[in-house]
Amino acid sequence: MNAATVSYKRHRFPPQIIAHAVWLYYRFPLSQRLAEEMLLERGIVVSYETIRRWGMKFGPDY
């Protein structure tokens, strides 16, 4: 993945959290709600809908 081609501008969360959420969803057979719960256990409050949007936007780049 080339970091210069992925733009995280205008996103509320840092790129590391976005990358981790997308990685969780695509790497393991998880639903978006399970990925949401796993992030919540780490203290990161993000909705499953946001993970879905991140997956559509950043998933092909990962």
Side-chain angles (χ1 to χ4, degrees):
M1 176 181 90
N2 187 357
T5 60
V6 178
S7 175
Y8 294 99
K9 289 183 180 180
R10 297 174 34 165
H11 287 280
R12 177 179 166 208
F13 291 92
Q16 295 85 4
I17 293 177
I18 295 172
H20 187 70
V22 174
W23 177 78
L24 276 175
Y25 178 66
Y26 283 105
R27 174 60 178 95
F28 302 104
L30 300 174
S31 68
Q32 293 156 352
R33 291 180 193 259
L34 285 175
E36 173 190 14
E37 289 179 12
M38 290 181 75
L39 291 172
L40 185 59
E41 289 177 1
R42 294 178 180 225
I44 303 167
V45 180
V46 63
S47 72
Y48 70 93
E49 183 62 24
T50 302
I51 295 172
R52 183 187 71 82
R53 288 182 191 145
W54 289 343
M56 288 180 3
K57 183 174 183 180
F58 300 112
D61 293 328
Y62 294 121

